[in-house]
Amino acid sequence: ENTPPTQAPAPPTSSWKLPEGIEDHIEAGLLKTAIGVTAGGIVGLIMFRSGKGMRGASVATGVGIAAGSTYERLMAQYGSK
């Protein structure tokens, strides 16, 4: 009773696909976020020495600017399609 081993069924394929060139936008978004966090952190250390949440707010502002810039860039390219 030697039966051949059965193979597992192949996973279902998806028709969903990312738009071409989205990797560039993701990379730019991550880079802008890193720059925004760094710049916000430096501004927070220099201008908001007392703390009280202002340093975190300046970092969050940097992240928000980066996210908005990336969103605007994506909408400019993919929003009209």
Side-chain angles (χ1 to χ4, degrees):
E1 271 187 57
N2 285 339
T3 58
T6 58
Q7 291 183 341
T13 58
S14 174
S15 62
W16 188 78
K17 189 176 175 186
L18 286 173
E20 294 293 323
I22 193 86
E23 305 88 16
D24 297 333
H25 296 293
I26 293 171
E27 179 183 355
L30 291 173
L31 180 63
K32 289 177 184 180
T33 300
I35 292 170
V37 166
T38 303
I42 290 171
V43 168
L45 284 174
I46 293 171
M47 296 187 71
F48 306 118
R49 292 182 186 259
S50 65
K52 298 182 183 173
M54 294 303 289
R55 291 181 187 167
S58 66
V59 170
T61 301
V63 171
I65 290 170
S69 173
T70 303
Y71 177 78
E72 180 181 10
R73 187 173 163 177
L74 282 168
M75 288 297 106
Q77 183 167 357
Y78 298 113
S80 62
K81 290 184 179 181

